[in-house]
Every structure is written in structure tokens, then in C-alpha cells.
Amino acid sequence: MNDITTFVFDVDGVLTDGSVFVSNEGEMLRTMNIRDGYALKSAVDAGYNVCIISGGSNEGVRVRLRNLGITDIHLGTPDKVATFDEYTDIYSIKPEQVLYMGDDIPDYHVMKLVGLPTCPQDASPEIKSISNYISHKNGGKGAVRDVIEQVMKVQGKWMDNFDGKHD
């Protein structure tokens, strides 16, 4: 965890619990954990690279993540490995500096490339088998906060930017 400079997350099953609510108009709605959001914002504020790579595409998700200060948001991505390779090339990030959290088969190949593959407690067995860390939290229920907080604490950066003025 000492070498992590970059966090990469999937959305459905990681930042959400994987549930989709479908409105009468056919819009697919997701819920996200506010504590995961706080941790993501804290990581951005502390200077970590934060990237989202998801096969799903939902503009509400994009808006939420942009509001947290995340600028590298790749939704509707058919090839996560190609997107990951492009992202790390652009920013000159070494794969061993990356923590990736995924939950299901589409994350498998990219997780094999990173320094710290992680997953939520309720990830698929195939993803659990290649993860160096399995959160005690489920996807959408604090798993993202768990890994960010642990890395930032190990590196002495957790609560560095907390001024007591925000929830």
C-alpha cells in the first residue's frame, strides 16, 4: 500500500451495490454510498490519481463523480484493459502503483495487470481468487471507502485535509 499513487474503480458492484432501479420512463437509477464519495473526494484532494473504468454508461453517475472532483471517467468502456493501458500511458503511471477494485468477470484481465487488485466482499469467486485484498464491505456499501482509507492511513495522508467544516 505504500507505493499506491492511483485508484481505479469499476462502478456497478463496486461504487454501487449492483442494483438498478428502472423508472417508468426506462431510466436506470443507481445508488452510491456517501462515505465512498467522501473517501473519493479525500483521495482527489490529497493528490492521488483517481480513475473510473466501467462498461456501463449512465450520465447521472458521471455527474456524481465529476462533483467529487474526478476527471478521468471512462463509461461505456468495452475493453477495460485498453482503457487502463491508455490511462496509465497518458499519466506515466506504473501498473504496480495502481489499486484497482473490481467485482466481476469484466474486471478480471485488468486486475491481473495492477499492483494491488482488490474487490468488495460480495465480488464473484473468480475476482476474489485474484484479489490481494477483499474488503469486509460489500460493493456500494463502503468497500471503496475501506480501501482508500487504508491506503491513505498507511501513507499518513488520511484526514490531512480535514478542516472540520464539512460533514
Side-chain angles (χ1 to χ4, degrees), residues 2-109:
N2 283 319
D3 298 327
I4 298 302
T5 64
T6 305
F7 296 101
V8 180
F9 298 101
D10 178 33
V11 174
D12 292 319
V14 173
L15 284 165
T16 76
D17 68 4
S19 298
V20 176
F21 300 95
V22 181
S23 73
N24 288 337
E25 294 77 32
E27 183 179 5
M28 293 191 293
L29 306 172
R30 293 157 173 84
T31 60
M32 293 182 155
N33 186 293
I34 204 77
R35 290 184 180 163
D36 286 347
Y38 177 81
L40 286 163
K41 178 88 171 92
S42 295
V44 169
D45 290 349
Y48 290 90
N49 303 305
V50 178
C51 178
I52 306 300
I53 302 176
S54 177
S57 57
N58 180 288
E59 286 309 305
V61 168
R62 185 183 310 277
V63 169
R64 167 71 177 144
L65 296 171
R66 282 198 195 278
N67 287 340
L68 296 173
I70 301 169
T71 57
D72 293 294
I73 304 167
H74 305 274
L75 304 179
T77 302
D79 184 346
K80 291 186 177 191
V81 170
T83 301
F84 175 78
D85 287 343
E86 182 180 322
Y87 172 74
T88 54
D89 284 347
I90 289 170
Y91 293 101
S92 300
I93 299 166
K94 296 176 184 169
E96 57 268 22
Q97 297 173 304
V98 177
L99 178 153
Y100 185 104
M101 181 174 267
D103 73 303
D104 210 348
I105 304 304
D107 301 303
Y108 186 90
H109 293 294

